[in-house]
Amino acid sequence: VYPSTAMDENSGEVTFELDAEQSVAPGTFPSGLNLSSARVSFEALEVAGTANATFLNAFSIIRFTLPADVKALKITGTENLAGKAEFKFVDQDEQPWSSRLVADNFVSESKSVTLTPSEATAFVAGETYNILVYPGTHSEITVELTDTDDCTYSNTVTKEFVFEAAKH
């Protein structure tokens, strides 16, 4: 499990908090927030001395670019996008040798997440940024942009949005 602090070494239970406020540089994730897990075969380790481990993300990744002078992006959905949760391991149908961490019980909830740039007062126009959110199905998404003059622009789209855990 990465980060290793998410898993209790004694019980094996995984609890993690995905921040509702994230600060990133272009093309990166907030440090220590990309919760992921891999199953390692001890049998393969004993036989071959090595084993492959494929880490699977627990969260969805939304990638976006913004125009100049935007200093904050807020996304609000109808289900949890951030918060603290207890996780369980769920076997994957397409890869039965593997399992993925899935939120099982929310300790604290947030239906919105806000992203700010970590290295400047505004996002760099045309650069790609990543935001991590909990997987889930939303019937409505609102995106709010705040510019460097503190003016806001908001748009709500009502339709089904399905955020799946990232494949890579």
Side-chain angles (χ1 to χ4, degrees):
V1 172
Y2 171 84
S4 60
T5 54
M7 187 164 85
D8 183 291
E9 289 182 25
N10 296 319
S11 67
E13 294 177 358
V14 177
T15 304
F16 191 79
E17 183 167 4
L18 181 59
D19 297 333
E21 295 184 13
Q22 301 173 26
S23 181
V24 298
T28 66
F29 297 103
S31 181
L33 283 189
N34 192 17
L35 181 65
S36 55
S37 62
R39 182 179 285 174
V40 177
S41 168
F42 289 116
E43 182 179 331
L45 274 174
E46 289 178 2
V47 172
T50 63
N52 290 329
T54 302
F55 277 83
L56 299 173
N57 296 313
F59 299 124
S60 296
I61 302 166
I62 301 173
R63 291 195 166 107
F64 60 91
T65 58
L66 295 168
D69 300 322
V70 174
K71 72 175 188 178
L73 166 89
K74 181 178 181 180
I75 299 174
T76 303
T78 54
E79 299 298 325
N80 290 324
L81 292 171
K84 186 174 184 177
E86 297 167 342
F87 287 79
K88 66 180 179 180
F89 289 95
V90 175
D91 289 338
Q92 301 296 290
D93 293 334
E94 69 277 3
Q95 300 173 340
W97 49 267
S98 188
S99 61
R100 181 186 300 272
L101 284 170
V102 175
D104 188 41
N105 179 43
F106 280 90
V107 177
S108 65
E109 304 173 347
S110 178
K111 290 187 179 4
S112 66
V113 62
T114 300
L115 193 67
T116 56
S118 63
E119 300 174 351
T121 56
F123 292 101
V124 177
E127 290 285 340
T128 300
Y129 290 88
N130 301 309
I131 190 166
L132 296 167
V133 297
Y134 278 100
T137 301
H138 302 262
S139 59
E140 180 178 279
I141 294 289
T142 299
V143 176
E144 180 181 291
L145 304 177
T146 304
D147 71 14
T148 53
D149 292 326
D150 289 325
C151 295
T152 60
Y153 170 79
S154 178
N155 189 28
T156 300
V157 177
T158 302
K159 72 173 206 172
E160 184 176 272
F161 292 90
V162 179
F163 297 147
E164 296 181 3
K167 304 292 185 213
H168 338 332

